[in-house]
Amino acid sequence: MEIMDKKIIKEMERWIREIEQFFTQKPPEQIYVSVAVIALTFFVFLIVRLLKYSKSNTVVIAGLSGSGKTVLFYQLRDGSAHQGTVTSMEPNDDRFLLHSESEKKGKKNHVHVVDVPGHSRLRPKLDDFLPQSAGLVFVVDSLDFLPNCRAAAEYLYDILTKAAVVKKKIPVLILCNKTDKVTAHSKEFIKKQLEKEIEKLRVSRTAISTADITNEYTLGVPDEVFSFTQCRNKVLVGEASGLKGEISQLEQFIRNQIKA
């Protein structure tokens, strides 16, 4: 052990001598430049490392208009449905402690929740928040699902093929809202129907020439019927009732991405 320590010390002394020799042989101006370059390189490296390993606390809520996104947003923040909410024309954007955790003891992390309007002309706003998102919730109206199945599948397809979602492997929760209603469709039925519609979209869009495809990535596995398990990111399916405040699966998804 002592022999190893002596070897290490000798090696360090050799390095120090070489560094001293380097600086004594260089003019002061060149030394200043070298030190500045080293310092700048270290600073850039440190910033990149911090950005890479810093955890985002943003969760984005998306979905078609009327699916109940804004009610869910208020339930998360205030524990209230805020009756009388209208279709949002601007994102609801706030940082807060989940209402269900407000009375719990111990320090809890605040979450940044963004409710993106579902109107087709306003959906591009989603791209402003995806790069810093830790998770995405896609809300589906399980009561009025069938008439909107195709539109919901198209929107979800566009989300799942975005570069920000694929590269960062952003987890997605397909949240079937309004499941408290008797005539609401089950999450299993909704999942299967969305997979069927996305399979149709995948086939039709693959047939289009590459120049006309606006999606950044493709979905699925060649020669296999589409399933959410084929996505590069994790895709889950859950249930909720915004009006009744039954949002435990939504809260669990958020806390799985943003630790308390």
Side-chain angles (χ1 to χ4, degrees), residues 248-259:
S248 60
Q249 293 182 32
L250 170 58
E251 291 176 320
Q252 185 60 52
F253 173 78
I254 291 173
R255 277 307 176 205
N256 285 342
Q257 317 316 319
I258 306 167
K259 301 303 179 184

Side-chain angles (χ1 to χ4, degrees), residues 17-257:
R17 284 196 299 270
E18 288 180 358
I19 292 171
E20 289 176 344
Q21 187 177 9
F22 171 80
F23 281 111
T24 54
Q25 291 176 350
K26 300 292 181 181
E29 293 81 4
Q30 198 168 346
I31 293 173
Y32 296 150
V33 172
S34 300
V35 171
V37 169
I38 292 170
L40 181 61
T41 303
F42 176 77
F43 178 74
V44 171
F45 174 77
L46 185 62
I47 293 297
V48 170
R49 294 277 291 187
L50 288 172
L51 289 175
K52 184 177 180 179
Y53 292 104
S54 59
K55 289 287 289 182
S56 170
N57 69 336
T58 300
V59 170
V60 177
I61 302 176
L64 299 180
S65 295
S67 58
K69 300 183 302 298
T70 302
V71 170
L72 292 167
F73 175 88
Y74 286 129
Q75 284 285 11
L76 288 170
R77 191 186 69 177
D78 307 324
S80 168
H82 282 235
Q83 294 286 351
T85 56
V86 295
T87 300
S88 303
M89 298 305 290
E90 288 293 332
N92 290 301
D93 181 348
D94 201 1
R95 297 176 188 273
F96 51 84
L97 188 66
L98 294 178
H99 184 267
S100 62
E101 298 175 347
S102 58
E103 295 182 0
K104 292 182 180 180
K105 293 182 179 179
K107 188 177 181 181
K108 303 290 182 182
N109 283 336
H110 283 60
V111 296
H112 177 209
V113 181
V114 182
D115 159 30
V116 179
H119 193 281
S120 57
R121 287 183 297 177
L122 302 174
R123 289 177 198 169
K125 292 180 181 290
L126 179 65
D127 294 328
D128 296 337
F129 303 100
L130 279 180
Q132 66 263 28
S133 176
L136 185 141
V137 180
F138 186 82
V139 183
V140 176
D141 184 343
S142 59
L143 188 63
D144 199 25
F145 172 68
L146 285 178
N148 298 300
C149 180
R150 178 74 177 187
E154 288 178 344
Y155 191 9
L156 183 57
Y157 182 100
D158 291 339
I159 289 173
L160 293 175
T161 53
K162 286 184 179 293
V165 174
V166 177
K167 288 182 178 179
K168 289 185 62 182
K169 295 184 178 180
I170 297 174
V172 173
L173 172 66
I174 300 172
L175 189 66
C176 305
N177 192 23
K178 308 179 185 179
T179 54
D180 57 298
K181 305 297 183 181
V182 177
T183 54
H185 295 285
S186 68
K187 67 178 184 180
E188 291 80 13
F189 175 81
I190 290 172
K191 174 179 176 290
K192 287 180 181 178
Q193 292 303 121
L194 286 174
E195 286 177 333
K196 287 180 181 178
E197 286 297 328
I198 289 177
E199 169 64 13
K200 294 176 186 177
L201 288 167
R202 188 172 73 92
V203 172
S204 62
R205 296 192 185 189
T206 303
I208 302 173
S209 65
T210 306
D212 294 331
I213 295 176
T214 58
N215 301 86
E216 299 167 74
Y217 285 83
T218 57
L219 280 182
V221 177
D223 302 320
E224 289 186 22
V225 177
F226 175 76
S227 167
F228 287 120
T229 58
Q230 298 167 354
C231 294
R232 302 184 197 185
N233 55 317
K234 185 181 291 185
V235 179
L236 307 170
V237 183
E239 296 176 325
S241 172
L243 288 176
K244 287 196 172 184
E246 297 170 0
I247 57 171
S248 60
Q249 293 182 32
L250 170 58
E251 291 176 320
Q252 185 60 52
F253 173 78
I254 291 173
R255 277 307 176 205
N256 285 342
Q257 317 316 319

